[in-house]
Amino acid sequence: MDLRDRPEDEAFRKEVRAWLDAHVVGDFAALGGRGGSGDETYGFETRRRWERLLAEGGWTCIGWPIEHGGRGASIAHQVIFNEEYVRAGAPGRVSVLGEGLLGPTLIQYGTPEQQARFLPPILAGTELWCQGYSEPNAGSDLANVQTKARREGDDWVITGQKVWTSGAHQADWCFVVCRTEPGSERHRGLSYLLVPMDQSGVEVRPITQLTRTSEFNEVFFDGARTPYDHVVGEVGDGWRVALATLAFERGVGLLGHQVSFRRELDHLFELAMANGKTSDPVVRQRLARSYAELEILRFNTLRSLSGYDGPVAPPEASIIKLYWATWHRQLGELAMDVLGPAGLMVDSAPYELDEFQRTFLFSRSETIYGGSNEIQKNIIGERVLGLPPEPKGTAR
Ligand SMILES: Cc1cc2nc3c(=O)[nH]c(=O)nc-3n(C[C@H](O)[C@H](O)[C@H](O)COP(=O)(O)OP(=O)(O)OC[C@H]3O[C@@H](n4cnc5c(N)ncnc54)[C@H](O)[C@@H]3O)c2cc1C
């Protein structure tokens, strides 16, 4: 595996860097790269403006095929784009779910009419999406979805509850997995509907998280409507479409994290040197270990992606998800030890957490969303190592 840029990679890197250097200025530079996980409300309107500017430059959805408005960028170029994006301190993206999950799903399963209606506003950064999968009794066990939809004339009418829906309070549309075949069970009789959020039948209730922000929500559908042709794939075949979206989710997760992790670790080194914690041999050893493990993560990601150019991640992506989520959670714990008592202090309410307090608290959720650590271990056992499967019907 050769880790150096090839000449065409180098040219692409220069092009990305030049565009970002020219555009991450003023309000956008002032955000200081913020607006990521656990920090999603920060500068939201500025980040929406940024998304449109990014789109004008042709830098949204770069991995989508050219015929659907993307650049058809290879995985290597998507990695380069992400590296340069973080290096430039560009604002946290607001259209992650539309670009990374729904768009690729529509490209694979959508009708030409659905593609023509929904892909351009994702490319342009003008319509935001959220993911309506999880319910109070359907998380890891997604096949237990109970939200129902029935046909009424030219519409679907939807009733039920979703939970942990990231960005529902900011989204224009939701892709919702629901039961369209009365009396069906498990993965049979489900459909994948595209539902507008701005209507009286949809109520969004934000859930306040440990970080004091409300990245996710409860979403109640009480007679919500969407046109009958807004079903992706066949009616009753939603499970297959929902799984395709999940495979994109694991793929997207591979690309963005490592450069921002490196920046966080560098900040922690600076902090530890400034407050004298590097004189503690145990802290020093943990810092060195974090550094080494981050390098392992980088090499493993590159290994898993090398020679691989499809949009969907290979099953080995679960190894990387398990590794990065666990690594980041441990970094949060180490950061608290480096901060010492200062890590426990905030200004009087309403307060903002600092970078490391946010990491410490929000990283707990990273071992849950996108498939919890335990579910990743099941996938690794069954699909990577070929171990006997656990009894069916308990995990997604
Ligand atoms: C920050 C955040 C954002 C999220 N955003 C969204 C979103 O936008 N849209 C959406 O639909 N959902 C979202 N989720 C929900 C997420 O997908 C679920 O939380 C996740 O699938 C786990 O489901 P659960 O919370 O119901 O836990 P459960 O499935 O009830 O799991 C509880 C515990 O049991 C373990 N467990 C469960 N089944 C097994 C098994 N078979 N073998 C071993 N252990 C098992 C789990 O690992 C976990 O530790 C988000 C979650 C978080 C934390």
PDB file of all heavy atoms in Angstrom, residues 131 133-134 139-140 164-166 215-216 365 368-369 372 374-375 378 390 394-396, ligand 1:
ATOM      1  N   GLN A 131     -33.411  11.212   9.528  1.00  0.00           N
ATOM      2  CA  GLN A 131     -33.563   9.755   9.355  1.00  0.00           C
ATOM      3  C   GLN A 131     -34.554   9.220  10.377  1.00  0.00           C
ATOM      4  O   GLN A 131     -34.241   9.173  11.576  1.00  0.00           O
ATOM      5  CB  GLN A 131     -32.188   9.106   9.557  1.00  0.00           C
ATOM      6  CG  GLN A 131     -32.172   7.603   9.434  1.00  0.00           C
ATOM      7  CD  GLN A 131     -30.767   7.036   9.648  1.00  0.00           C
ATOM      8  OE1 GLN A 131     -29.936   7.665  10.303  1.00  0.00           O
ATOM      9  NE2 GLN A 131     -30.510   5.862   9.114  1.00  0.00           N
ATOM     10  N   TYR A 133     -35.786   6.224  11.570  1.00  0.00           N
ATOM     11  CA  TYR A 133     -35.694   4.769  11.734  1.00  0.00           C
ATOM     12  C   TYR A 133     -36.100   4.376  13.161  1.00  0.00           C
ATOM     13  O   TYR A 133     -37.063   3.675  13.378  1.00  0.00           O
ATOM     14  CB  TYR A 133     -34.256   4.285  11.511  1.00  0.00           C
ATOM     15  CG  TYR A 133     -33.836   4.041  10.087  1.00  0.00           C
ATOM     16  CD1 TYR A 133     -34.349   4.764   9.027  1.00  0.00           C
ATOM     17  CD2 TYR A 133     -32.886   3.060   9.789  1.00  0.00           C
ATOM     18  CE1 TYR A 133     -33.931   4.530   7.726  1.00  0.00           C
ATOM     19  CE2 TYR A 133     -32.469   2.811   8.496  1.00  0.00           C
ATOM     20  CZ  TYR A 133     -32.988   3.556   7.466  1.00  0.00           C
ATOM     21  OH  TYR A 133     -32.562   3.316   6.183  1.00  0.00           O
ATOM     22  N   SER A 134     -35.296   4.823  14.152  1.00  0.00           N
ATOM     23  CA  SER A 134     -35.430   4.310  15.524  1.00  0.00           C
ATOM     24  C   SER A 134     -36.762   4.692  16.145  1.00  0.00           C
ATOM     25  O   SER A 134     -37.300   5.786  15.908  1.00  0.00           O
ATOM     26  CB  SER A 134     -34.311   4.858  16.412  1.00  0.00           C
ATOM     27  OG  SER A 134     -33.064   4.513  15.878  1.00  0.00           O
ATOM     28  N   GLY A 139     -34.516  -0.084  18.036  1.00  0.00           N
ATOM     29  CA  GLY A 139     -33.226   0.589  17.857  1.00  0.00           C
ATOM     30  C   GLY A 139     -32.298  -0.402  17.169  1.00  0.00           C
ATOM     31  O   GLY A 139     -32.335  -0.554  15.948  1.00  0.00           O
ATOM     32  N   SER A 140     -31.505  -1.120  17.963  1.00  0.00           N
ATOM     33  CA  SER A 140     -30.707  -2.212  17.378  1.00  0.00           C
ATOM     34  C   SER A 140     -31.645  -3.191  16.684  1.00  0.00           C
ATOM     35  O   SER A 140     -31.322  -3.740  15.632  1.00  0.00           O
ATOM     36  CB  SER A 140     -29.940  -2.960  18.477  1.00  0.00           C
ATOM     37  OG  SER A 140     -29.169  -2.067  19.232  1.00  0.00           O
ATOM     38  N   TRP A 164     -34.897   9.712  18.836  1.00  0.00           N
ATOM     39  CA  TRP A 164     -33.453   9.965  18.590  1.00  0.00           C
ATOM     40  C   TRP A 164     -33.232  10.488  17.169  1.00  0.00           C
ATOM     41  O   TRP A 164     -32.201  10.194  16.561  1.00  0.00           O
ATOM     42  CB  TRP A 164     -32.580   8.711  18.797  1.00  0.00           C
ATOM     43  CG  TRP A 164     -32.927   7.812  19.925  1.00  0.00           C
ATOM     44  CD1 TRP A 164     -33.143   6.471  19.857  1.00  0.00           C
ATOM     45  CD2 TRP A 164     -33.046   8.151  21.317  1.00  0.00           C
ATOM     46  NE1 TRP A 164     -33.403   5.961  21.097  1.00  0.00           N
ATOM     47  CE2 TRP A 164     -33.353   6.961  22.001  1.00  0.00           C
ATOM     48  CE3 TRP A 164     -32.948   9.345  22.040  1.00  0.00           C
ATOM     49  CZ2 TRP A 164     -33.572   6.923  23.380  1.00  0.00           C
ATOM     50  CZ3 TRP A 164     -33.155   9.305  23.407  1.00  0.00           C
ATOM     51  CH2 TRP A 164     -33.457   8.110  24.046  1.00  0.00           C
ATOM     52  N   THR A 165     -34.194  11.218  16.616  1.00  0.00           N
ATOM     53  CA  THR A 165     -34.097  11.635  15.216  1.00  0.00           C
ATOM     54  C   THR A 165     -33.209  12.881  15.119  1.00  0.00           C
ATOM     55  O   THR A 165     -33.649  14.001  15.408  1.00  0.00           O
ATOM     56  CB  THR A 165     -35.503  11.918  14.648  1.00  0.00           C
ATOM     57  OG1 THR A 165     -36.403  10.915  15.125  1.00  0.00           O
ATOM     58  CG2 THR A 165     -35.478  11.926  13.143  1.00  0.00           C
ATOM     59  N   SER A 166     -31.970  12.678  14.683  1.00  0.00           N
ATOM     60  CA  SER A 166     -30.999  13.787  14.622  1.00  0.00           C
ATOM     61  C   SER A 166     -31.459  14.836  13.624  1.00  0.00           C
ATOM     62  O   SER A 166     -31.851  14.502  12.498  1.00  0.00           O
ATOM     63  CB  SER A 166     -29.632  13.268  14.175  1.00  0.00           C
ATOM     64  OG  SER A 166     -29.144  12.337  15.087  1.00  0.00           O
ATOM     65  N   GLU A 215     -29.490  17.760  19.830  1.00  0.00           N
ATOM     66  CA  GLU A 215     -29.197  17.340  18.472  1.00  0.00           C
ATOM     67  C   GLU A 215     -30.294  16.418  17.970  1.00  0.00           C
ATOM     68  O   GLU A 215     -30.636  16.417  16.806  1.00  0.00           O
ATOM     69  CB  GLU A 215     -27.841  16.630  18.462  1.00  0.00           C
ATOM     70  CG  GLU A 215     -27.365  16.186  17.108  1.00  0.00           C
ATOM     71  CD  GLU A 215     -27.274  14.688  16.972  1.00  0.00           C
ATOM     72  OE1 GLU A 215     -27.396  13.975  17.990  1.00  0.00           O
ATOM     73  OE2 GLU A 215     -27.099  14.228  15.841  1.00  0.00           O
ATOM     74  N   PHE A 216     -30.865  15.621  18.885  1.00  0.00           N
ATOM     75  CA  PHE A 216     -31.913  14.713  18.416  1.00  0.00           C
ATOM     76  C   PHE A 216     -33.248  14.970  19.092  1.00  0.00           C
ATOM     77  O   PHE A 216     -33.346  15.770  20.024  1.00  0.00           O
ATOM     78  CB  PHE A 216     -31.486  13.255  18.471  1.00  0.00           C
ATOM     79  CG  PHE A 216     -31.000  12.719  19.788  1.00  0.00           C
ATOM     80  CD1 PHE A 216     -31.506  13.140  20.983  1.00  0.00           C
ATOM     81  CD2 PHE A 216     -30.023  11.718  19.802  1.00  0.00           C
ATOM     82  CE1 PHE A 216     -31.078  12.601  22.168  1.00  0.00           C
ATOM     83  CE2 PHE A 216     -29.586  11.170  20.993  1.00  0.00           C
ATOM     84  CZ  PHE A 216     -30.119  11.622  22.177  1.00  0.00           C
ATOM     85  N   SER A 365     -22.133   8.881  22.945  1.00  0.00           N
ATOM     86  CA  SER A 365     -23.169   8.505  21.971  1.00  0.00           C
ATOM     87  C   SER A 365     -22.569   7.867  20.723  1.00  0.00           C
ATOM     88  O   SER A 365     -23.271   7.196  19.972  1.00  0.00           O
ATOM     89  CB  SER A 365     -23.999   9.728  21.591  1.00  0.00           C
ATOM     90  OG  SER A 365     -23.251  10.571  20.756  1.00  0.00           O
ATOM     91  N   ILE A 368     -22.939   4.310  20.305  1.00  0.00           N
ATOM     92  CA  ILE A 368     -24.338   3.848  20.206  1.00  0.00           C
ATOM     93  C   ILE A 368     -24.883   4.056  18.789  1.00  0.00           C
ATOM     94  O   ILE A 368     -25.415   3.146  18.174  1.00  0.00           O
ATOM     95  CB  ILE A 368     -25.228   4.609  21.218  1.00  0.00           C
ATOM     96  CG1 ILE A 368     -24.735   4.384  22.639  1.00  0.00           C
ATOM     97  CG2 ILE A 368     -26.692   4.173  21.063  1.00  0.00           C
ATOM     98  CD1 ILE A 368     -25.424   5.251  23.688  1.00  0.00           C
ATOM     99  N   TYR A 369     -24.753   5.310  18.261  1.00  0.00           N
ATOM    100  CA  TYR A 369     -25.411   5.561  16.965  1.00  0.00           C
ATOM    101  C   TYR A 369     -24.630   4.884  15.814  1.00  0.00           C
ATOM    102  O   TYR A 369     -23.460   4.559  15.956  1.00  0.00           O
ATOM    103  CB  TYR A 369     -25.623   7.053  16.705  1.00  0.00           C
ATOM    104  CG  TYR A 369     -24.406   7.889  16.391  1.00  0.00           C
ATOM    105  CD1 TYR A 369     -23.705   7.768  15.213  1.00  0.00           C
ATOM    106  CD2 TYR A 369     -23.979   8.876  17.287  1.00  0.00           C
ATOM    107  CE1 TYR A 369     -22.609   8.556  14.923  1.00  0.00           C
ATOM    108  CE2 TYR A 369     -22.883   9.676  17.016  1.00  0.00           C
ATOM    109  CZ  TYR A 369     -22.211   9.505  15.826  1.00  0.00           C
ATOM    110  OH  TYR A 369     -21.122  10.286  15.555  1.00  0.00           O
ATOM    111  N   SER A 372     -24.469   0.167  17.621  1.00  0.00           N
ATOM    112  CA  SER A 372     -23.705   0.240  18.884  1.00  0.00           C
ATOM    113  C   SER A 372     -22.462  -0.661  18.811  1.00  0.00           C
ATOM    114  O   SER A 372     -22.345  -1.509  17.921  1.00  0.00           O
ATOM    115  CB  SER A 372     -24.594  -0.215  20.044  1.00  0.00           C
ATOM    116  OG  SER A 372     -24.852  -1.602  19.904  1.00  0.00           O
ATOM    117  N   GLU A 374     -21.732  -3.169  20.554  1.00  0.00           N
ATOM    118  CA  GLU A 374     -22.075  -4.594  20.638  1.00  0.00           C
ATOM    119  C   GLU A 374     -22.557  -5.107  19.279  1.00  0.00           C
ATOM    120  O   GLU A 374     -22.210  -6.215  18.858  1.00  0.00           O
ATOM    121  CB  GLU A 374     -23.171  -4.818  21.701  1.00  0.00           C
ATOM    122  CG  GLU A 374     -22.710  -4.612  23.136  1.00  0.00           C
ATOM    123  CD  GLU A 374     -22.538  -3.140  23.505  1.00  0.00           C
ATOM    124  OE1 GLU A 374     -23.095  -2.265  22.789  1.00  0.00           O
ATOM    125  OE2 GLU A 374     -21.829  -2.851  24.487  1.00  0.00           O
ATOM    126  N   ILE A 375     -23.344  -4.263  18.583  1.00  0.00           N
ATOM    127  CA  ILE A 375     -23.845  -4.677  17.265  1.00  0.00           C
ATOM    128  C   ILE A 375     -22.680  -4.781  16.270  1.00  0.00           C
ATOM    129  O   ILE A 375     -22.623  -5.699  15.454  1.00  0.00           O
ATOM    130  CB  ILE A 375     -24.917  -3.664  16.764  1.00  0.00           C
ATOM    131  CG1 ILE A 375     -26.135  -3.713  17.697  1.00  0.00           C
ATOM    132  CG2 ILE A 375     -25.312  -3.933  15.322  1.00  0.00           C
ATOM    133  CD1 ILE A 375     -26.809  -5.059  17.832  1.00  0.00           C
ATOM    134  N   ASN A 378     -21.085  -8.021  16.757  1.00  0.00           N
ATOM    135  CA  ASN A 378     -21.860  -9.101  16.113  1.00  0.00           C
ATOM    136  C   ASN A 378     -21.550  -9.167  14.620  1.00  0.00           C
ATOM    137  O   ASN A 378     -21.354 -10.244  14.052  1.00  0.00           O
ATOM    138  CB  ASN A 378     -23.368  -8.870  16.294  1.00  0.00           C
ATOM    139  CG  ASN A 378     -23.835  -9.208  17.697  1.00  0.00           C
ATOM    140  OD1 ASN A 378     -23.123  -9.855  18.458  1.00  0.00           O
ATOM    141  ND2 ASN A 378     -25.029  -8.756  18.045  1.00  0.00           N
ATOM    142  N   GLU A 390     -25.778 -15.176  15.787  1.00  0.00           N
ATOM    143  CA  GLU A 390     -26.609 -15.248  16.988  1.00  0.00           C
ATOM    144  C   GLU A 390     -28.040 -15.547  16.546  1.00  0.00           C
ATOM    145  O   GLU A 390     -28.384 -15.360  15.371  1.00  0.00           O
ATOM    146  CB  GLU A 390     -26.512 -13.956  17.792  1.00  0.00           C
ATOM    147  CG  GLU A 390     -27.179 -12.762  17.161  1.00  0.00           C
ATOM    148  CD  GLU A 390     -27.370 -11.634  18.166  1.00  0.00           C
ATOM    149  OE1 GLU A 390     -27.440 -11.893  19.373  1.00  0.00           O
ATOM    150  OE2 GLU A 390     -27.464 -10.486  17.710  1.00  0.00           O
ATOM    151  N   THR A 394     -32.992 -10.512  16.550  1.00  0.00           N
ATOM    152  CA  THR A 394     -32.721  -9.667  17.708  1.00  0.00           C
ATOM    153  C   THR A 394     -31.863  -8.466  17.379  1.00  0.00           C
ATOM    154  O   THR A 394     -31.838  -7.525  18.149  1.00  0.00           O
ATOM    155  CB  THR A 394     -32.001 -10.455  18.816  1.00  0.00           C
ATOM    156  OG1 THR A 394     -30.941 -11.172  18.215  1.00  0.00           O
ATOM    157  CG2 THR A 394     -32.951 -11.400  19.524  1.00  0.00           C
ATOM    158  N   ALA A 395     -31.152  -8.455  16.264  1.00  0.00           N
ATOM    159  CA  ALA A 395     -30.260  -7.319  16.007  1.00  0.00           C
ATOM    160  C   ALA A 395     -30.384  -6.884  14.570  1.00  0.00           C
ATOM    161  O   ALA A 395     -30.718  -7.678  13.700  1.00  0.00           O
ATOM    162  CB  ALA A 395     -28.818  -7.715  16.282  1.00  0.00           C
ATOM    163  N   ARG A 396     -30.116  -5.617  14.334  1.00  0.00           N
ATOM    164  CA  ARG A 396     -30.143  -5.162  12.948  1.00  0.00           C
ATOM    165  C   ARG A 396     -28.741  -5.185  12.407  1.00  0.00           C
ATOM    166  O   ARG A 396     -27.788  -5.220  13.145  1.00  0.00           O
ATOM    167  CB  ARG A 396     -30.744  -3.778  12.844  1.00  0.00           C
ATOM    168  CG  ARG A 396     -29.796  -2.635  13.185  1.00  0.00           C
ATOM    169  CD  ARG A 396     -30.512  -1.338  12.949  1.00  0.00           C
ATOM    170  NE  ARG A 396     -29.547  -0.269  12.806  1.00  0.00           N
ATOM    171  CZ  ARG A 396     -29.792   0.953  13.243  1.00  0.00           C
ATOM    172  NH1 ARG A 396     -30.898   1.264  13.840  1.00  0.00           N
ATOM    173  NH2 ARG A 396     -28.896   1.893  13.042  1.00  0.00           N
TER     174      ARG A 396
HETATM  175  C1  LIG B   1     -26.467  10.837  19.074  1.00  0.00           C
HETATM  176  C2  LIG B   1     -27.422   9.860  18.439  1.00  0.00           C
HETATM  177  C3  LIG B   1     -28.023  10.181  17.248  1.00  0.00           C
HETATM  178  C4  LIG B   1     -28.952   9.302  16.676  1.00  0.00           C
HETATM  179  N1  LIG B   1     -29.561   9.673  15.508  1.00  0.00           N
HETATM  180  C5  LIG B   1     -30.517   8.873  14.979  1.00  0.00           C
HETATM  181  C6  LIG B   1     -31.232   9.288  13.814  1.00  0.00           C
HETATM  182  O1  LIG B   1     -30.997  10.361  13.252  1.00  0.00           O
HETATM  183  N2  LIG B   1     -32.218   8.487  13.349  1.00  0.00           N
HETATM  184  C7  LIG B   1     -32.515   7.289  13.920  1.00  0.00           C
HETATM  185  O2  LIG B   1     -33.394   6.596  13.424  1.00  0.00           O
HETATM  186  N3  LIG B   1     -31.857   6.870  15.039  1.00  0.00           N
HETATM  187  C8  LIG B   1     -30.872   7.636  15.577  1.00  0.00           C
HETATM  188  N4  LIG B   1     -30.194   7.240  16.707  1.00  0.00           N
HETATM  189  C9  LIG B   1     -30.601   5.995  17.360  1.00  0.00           C
HETATM  190  C10 LIG B   1     -29.612   4.863  17.252  1.00  0.00           C
HETATM  191  O3  LIG B   1     -29.629   4.292  15.976  1.00  0.00           O
HETATM  192  C11 LIG B   1     -30.010   3.851  18.338  1.00  0.00           C
HETATM  193  O4  LIG B   1     -29.809   4.479  19.596  1.00  0.00           O
HETATM  194  C12 LIG B   1     -29.194   2.590  18.262  1.00  0.00           C
HETATM  195  O5  LIG B   1     -29.555   1.859  17.123  1.00  0.00           O
HETATM  196  C13 LIG B   1     -29.399   1.720  19.512  1.00  0.00           C
HETATM  197  O6  LIG B   1     -30.763   1.504  19.729  1.00  0.00           O
HETATM  198  P1  LIG B   1     -31.432   1.784  21.161  1.00  0.00           P
HETATM  199  O7  LIG B   1     -31.011   3.133  21.620  1.00  0.00           O
HETATM  200  O8  LIG B   1     -32.867   1.474  21.052  1.00  0.00           O
HETATM  201  O9  LIG B   1     -30.728   0.744  22.141  1.00  0.00           O
HETATM  202  P2  LIG B   1     -31.057  -0.794  22.237  1.00  0.00           P
HETATM  203  O10 LIG B   1     -31.141  -1.394  20.882  1.00  0.00           O
HETATM  204  O11 LIG B   1     -32.215  -0.977  23.153  1.00  0.00           O
HETATM  205  O12 LIG B   1     -29.749  -1.339  22.922  1.00  0.00           O
HETATM  206  C14 LIG B   1     -29.507  -1.248  24.325  1.00  0.00           C
HETATM  207  C15 LIG B   1     -28.195  -1.965  24.628  1.00  0.00           C
HETATM  208  O13 LIG B   1     -28.313  -3.366  24.275  1.00  0.00           O
HETATM  209  C16 LIG B   1     -27.291  -3.738  23.370  1.00  0.00           C
HETATM  210  N5  LIG B   1     -27.831  -4.692  22.393  1.00  0.00           N
HETATM  211  C17 LIG B   1     -28.983  -4.579  21.694  1.00  0.00           C
HETATM  212  N6  LIG B   1     -29.144  -5.644  20.871  1.00  0.00           N
HETATM  213  C18 LIG B   1     -28.057  -6.434  21.035  1.00  0.00           C
HETATM  214  C19 LIG B   1     -27.624  -7.669  20.464  1.00  0.00           C
HETATM  215  N7  LIG B   1     -28.351  -8.282  19.555  1.00  0.00           N
HETATM  216  N8  LIG B   1     -26.437  -8.196  20.880  1.00  0.00           N
HETATM  217  C20 LIG B   1     -25.687  -7.549  21.812  1.00  0.00           C
HETATM  218  N9  LIG B   1     -26.044  -6.373  22.417  1.00  0.00           N
HETATM  219  C21 LIG B   1     -27.206  -5.827  22.011  1.00  0.00           C
HETATM  220  C22 LIG B   1     -26.890  -2.433  22.665  1.00  0.00           C
HETATM  221  O14 LIG B   1     -25.558  -2.499  22.174  1.00  0.00           O
HETATM  222  C23 LIG B   1     -27.028  -1.426  23.806  1.00  0.00           C
HETATM  223  O15 LIG B   1     -25.874  -1.444  24.612  1.00  0.00           O
HETATM  224  C24 LIG B   1     -29.253   8.078  17.300  1.00  0.00           C
HETATM  225  C25 LIG B   1     -28.634   7.743  18.519  1.00  0.00           C
HETATM  226  C26 LIG B   1     -27.738   8.626  19.087  1.00  0.00           C
HETATM  227  C27 LIG B   1     -27.095   8.238  20.391  1.00  0.00           C
END
